[in-house]
Amino acid sequence: MDKRTPQLGDIQETLLIPLYGRAVETRKRRGMLNDPRAVEMVDALDYDFSRFDGAKSLLGASLRTLIFDQWVSDFMERHPSGTVVELGTGLNTRFERLDNGTVHWFDLDLPDVIDLRRSFFEDTGRRRMIAASVTDPGWPDEVRKSPGPYFLAAEAVLLYLEEELVRSVFQLVGERLPGAHLALETASARMIDSQDSHDVLAGMAARMHWRCDDPKAVEHWQPGLRLTDSRTLAQLPAPVARRLPVPFRVLLRAMTTLRRRDIEAYRFNLFRFADE
Ligand SMILES: C[S@@+](CC[C@H](N)C(=O)[O-])C[C@H]1O[C@@H](n2cnc3c(N)ncnc32)[C@H](O)[C@@H]1O
């Protein structure tokens, strides 16, 4: 079969990093996750993924995915027919990993990404793609056609926006999807300022912009907004930590001791918006 060359903008191209991270883990005998669709997509794309080989941040990307998976699973356990929205979905396969047969799902990304995504995924009755920017005021109206409550997962997305745009996304969600949960990461100013030496991003054109030293401070952006969870790679949710093969646990323990400041700089956060 002919391989497809991804035609993607600079920020969009970053989707290939977590995709490759999941494929690499899947190909290992004892990887931290199993994602055969990621392997299929990597094999079907004409792209030099070897440029990412050996980068530690591939492991970080897969650990991050497991944290987000855990939050989405917890939500689906409480609300089996609620709606999950992947904001900046890339070639994410969370639905494939977690579908419970009743959840509703949207995968939103910029038009060039959705075009690529459509060569691997199809819309179904419970799962649909939206070609839009997360800052576009129209997408919550699509989502509202699906039953609540709503869980929005913005994995490795909002960091690429200027703070003003991140604030506009919070405002949009607060107004149009009250009561929603929103999962996202924050990166400290120090981490953003040192990204030119990041093991993968250094070689790519995309740059992160949103500096956030304290995710708790985001609560002040709007009344009733609450930070319900915030953790680092050193504080994996118990079910994630239990599933990790021993070599990962050892590596993680070493990294959290040796590179404490770096680990603290990058946080995984869960927000809950005020109810109507
Ligand atoms: C690092 S990738 C993460 C992809 C996916 N969330 C994952 O974890 O596999 C960043 C993604 O954010 C998307 N993105 C960046 N800016 C966006 C915007 N304004 N609106 C929607 N998606 C955006 C990119 O197109 C890309 O797919």
Side-chain angles (χ1 to χ4, degrees):
M1 206 179 73
D2 282 348
K3 290 197 177 204
R4 176 164 176 170
T5 306
Q7 308 277 356
L8 296 169
D10 290 344
I11 300 187
Q12 296 89 314
E13 187 182 355
T14 61
L15 70 87
L16 300 168
I17 307 166
L19 173 72
Y20 188 57
R22 296 196 309 276
V24 167
E25 287 306 311
T26 304
R27 284 179 180 142
K28 288 180 183 167
R29 200 161 56 88
R30 291 171 64 200
M32 70 173 94
L33 54 76
N34 184 36
D35 190 342
R37 288 300 305 276
V39 175
E40 265 174 54
M41 290 188 276
V42 164
D43 288 343
L45 290 172
D46 183 12
Y47 186 83
D48 178 17
F49 286 99
S50 69
R51 64 192 296 203
F52 305 142
D53 277 337
K56 287 270 185 305
S57 52
L58 282 191
L59 293 176
S62 291
L63 284 168
R64 176 185 71 212
T65 289
L66 292 179
I67 294 174
F68 276 62
D69 278 6
Q70 187 60 45
W71 279 335
V72 173
S73 295
D74 292 346
F75 170 80
M76 284 167 48
E77 212 163 288
R78 293 192 308 275
H79 309 290
S81 305
T83 296
V84 176
V85 187
E86 289 286 344
L87 297 172
T89 184
L91 291 175
N92 198 299
T93 46
R94 200 172 339 268
F95 181 86
E96 278 64 30
R97 292 195 298 278
L98 303 184
D99 181 29
N100 61 1
T102 53
V103 71
H104 298 80
W105 202 284
F106 290 94
D107 285 296
L108 175 145
D109 210 307
L110 296 165
D112 52 350
V113 175
I114 294 299
D115 182 49
L116 177 64
R117 205 179 156 84
R118 285 199 188 279
S119 45
F120 299 110
F121 300 92
E122 283 180 359
D123 284 352
T124 64
R126 287 189 293 114
R127 184 205 201 174
R128 284 196 296 116
M129 287 174 252
I130 302 177
S133 169
V134 64
T135 56
D136 179 342
W139 65 263
D141 295 337
E142 274 305 297
V143 169
R144 282 163 62 106
K145 293 176 189 160
S146 220
Y150 304 105
F151 188 102
L152 317 176
E155 182 180 345
V157 179
L158 300 180
L159 297 178
Y160 291 99
L161 306 186
E162 295 288 352
E163 179 177 316
E164 199 183 316
L165 285 177
V166 179
R167 282 178 182 261
S168 77
V169 173
F170 271 78
Q171 192 179 343
L172 185 62
V173 173
E175 281 169 9
R176 304 295 292 143
L177 299 170
H181 304 262
L182 171 62
L184 69 145
E185 317 101 272
T186 45
S188 71
R190 184 173 167 269
M191 177 170 162
I192 300 286
D193 292 340
S194 61
Q195 63 186 310
D196 286 350
S197 50
H198 185 270
D199 61 359
V200 172
L201 276 186
M204 302 188 83
R207 283 292 171 268
M208 301 182 286
H209 294 288
W210 179 32
R211 294 169 164 74
C212 178
D213 287 329
D214 178 12
K216 188 83 180 151
V218 171
E219 286 185 336
H220 300 300
W221 288 4
Q222 60 183 259
L225 179 66
R226 279 185 300 119
L227 180 66
T228 57
D229 196 359
S230 182
R231 49 185 70 238
T232 66
L233 286 180
Q235 302 155 323
L236 296 175
V240 174
R242 270 199 301 273
R243 268 181 44 197
L244 276 191
V246 174
F248 286 112
R249 289 192 224 174
V250 174
L251 178 69
L252 205 55
R253 207 169 305 135
M255 275 177 61
T256 52
T257 314
L258 296 173
R259 301 186 49 187
R260 177 155 293 285
R261 276 183 78 190
D262 293 336
I263 296 273
E264 287 295 328
Y266 188 45
R267 299 196 72 88
F268 308 93
N269 311 288
L270 192 53
F271 287 93
R272 172 95 203 263
F273 287 79
D275 287 313
E276 232 159 345

